């Protein structure tokens, strides 16, 4: 039986991966901060099947915990996302996206746990350049990538890095566009948006967490010191086309005022195109089908 430790198991993608792993017969451990809620695990009905471990932030405690669990793979989903940060949010981004991951790698190394699946972002490649972060969040994810490189080279860690786009699905507590559009349809209110010419790329959460599971299987058997990176692509369309598809699925015309808002600073007009796809994985859920499931569930 595969044993996996999931950081960020109380978040959207992390909790859905816990559910996917449990369905696959894996032993699932979730590493949570002392203040983290388990509401997501409860909503998915898996709180009794996940072995939850609370961490007090101390390096020694983290090392002892990894030594006790001895997971086959660590799936690092924990992250702090801020699209446009404020000055007082810089420390939080670095603590969550660089410091914690570095502490985790050190604890893994000392405990003899050498397999990591790291979840990062397509926003590390603004305008599809080799490396150009869209925002500080993406820059911190790239900074952690450099830390991973050290542990792979110096400590024999092996890692598969999965770069995500926009993920949607049931039981999403985040304030995202799709639930907002559903709310708009229910209320009949209007919404001011940009011109809507930017392309967006959406992946259904079940496709994404299946990619996590496939990557865990690969990295467990990978060569010591290896690092692989893959983009987890979904359906790509313009924001205007997405709204039209939502209207089709809901059977309602939405009152969207296109061009009423300016594009935000460093708007991603064309998402990054990955060079390689994760071996053994491809997206299965068509966007229209995923939207129907999402909106029927939330009705």
């Amino acid at each position: 039986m595969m044993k996996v430790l999931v950081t960020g198991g109380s978040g959207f993608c992390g909790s859905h991966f816990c559910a996917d792993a449990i369905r696959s017969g894996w032993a699932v451990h979730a590493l949570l901060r002392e203040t983290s809620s388990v509401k997501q695990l409860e909503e998915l009905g898996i709180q009794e099947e996940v072995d939850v471990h609370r961490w007090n932030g101390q390096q020694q405690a983290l090392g002892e915990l990894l030594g006790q669990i001895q997971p086959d793979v660590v799936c690092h989903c924990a992250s702090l996302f801020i699209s446009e940060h404020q000055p007082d949010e810089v420390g939080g981004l670095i603590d969550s996206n660089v410091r914690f991951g570095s502490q985790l790698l050190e604890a893994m190394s000392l405990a003899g746990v050498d397999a990591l699946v790291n979840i990062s972002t397509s926003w590390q490649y603004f305008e599809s350049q080799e490396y150009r972060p869209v925002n500080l969040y993406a820059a911190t994810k790239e900074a952690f990538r450099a830390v991973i490189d050290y542990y792979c080279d110096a400590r024999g860690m092996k890692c598969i890095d999965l770069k995500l786009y926009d993920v949607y699905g049931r039981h999403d507590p985040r304030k995202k566009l799709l639930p907002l559009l559903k709310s708009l349809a229910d209320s009949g209110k209007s919404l001011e948006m940009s011109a809507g010419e930017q392309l967006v790329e959406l992946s259904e959460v079940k496709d994404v967490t299946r990619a996590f599971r496939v990557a865990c299987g690969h990295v467990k058997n990978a060569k010591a010191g290896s690092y692989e990176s893959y983009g987890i692509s979904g359906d790509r369309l313009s924001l205007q086309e997405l709204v039209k598809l939502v209207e089709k699925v809901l059977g309602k015309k939405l009152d969207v005022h296109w061009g009423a808002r300016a594009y935000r600073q460093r708007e991603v007009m064309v998402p990054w195109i990955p060079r390689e796809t994760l071996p053994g994985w491809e997206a299965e859920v068509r966007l229209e089908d995923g939207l129907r499931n999402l909106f029927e569930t939330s009705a």
Side-chain angles (χ1 to χ4, degrees), residues 4 6 9-30 40-47 49-50 170-171 205-206 209-210 212-213:
V4 63
V6 183
S10 60
F12 176 54
C13 288
S15 62
H16 277 270
F17 175 57
C18 288
D20 179 278
I22 287 169
R23 288 192 296 268
S24 299
W26 292 11
V28 178
H29 297 256
Q40 283 289 107
L41 300 176
E42 292 171 352
E43 289 188 356
L44 292 174
I46 58 172
Q47 70 275 17
E49 299 174 85
V50 176
R170 298 174 52 204
H171 302 292
V205 68
K206 289 182 180 178
T209 56
R210 184 165 46 81
F212 293 5
R213 176 162 45 86

Side-chain angles (χ1 to χ4, degrees), residues 39-158:
K39 182 179 179 180
Q40 283 289 107
L41 300 176
E42 292 171 352
E43 289 188 356
L44 292 174
I46 58 172
Q47 70 275 17
E48 299 299 327
E49 299 174 85
V50 176
D51 197 343
V52 173
H53 304 269
R54 299 285 183 175
W55 180 50
N56 62 9
Q58 299 301 311
Q59 183 69 52
Q60 182 176 347
L62 185 57
E64 291 172 353
L65 183 61
L66 264 294
Q68 292 167 7
I69 299 172
Q70 285 294 307
D72 297 299
V73 182
V74 173
C75 187
H76 184 39
C77 303
S79 180
L80 174 61
F81 172 77
I82 300 174
S83 178
E84 295 178 296
H85 73 276
Q86 298 299 315
D88 61 354
E89 294 172 322
V90 172
L93 283 165
I94 293 173
D95 282 346
S96 295
N97 300 337
V98 184
R99 183 172 180 266
F100 170 52
S102 302
Q103 290 178 292
L104 177 67
L105 287 171
E106 180 68 15
M108 289 173 61
S109 177
L110 294 177
V113 179
D114 64 354
L116 175 73
V117 172
N118 182 56
I119 310 306
S120 56
T121 174
S122 64
W123 277 16
Q124 290 163 239
Y125 308 103
F126 186 48
E127 297 182 339
S128 292
Q129 295 188 25
E130 186 65 26
Y131 165 61
R132 188 182 178 195
V134 171
N135 52 14
L136 184 59
Y137 160 73
T140 60
K141 300 299 280 187
E142 183 70 18
F144 181 55
R145 155 69 197 274
V147 177
I148 294 174
D149 284 345
Y150 163 74
Y151 278 90
C152 288
D153 184 44
R155 304 281 183 91
M157 196 75 68
K158 45 194 181 181

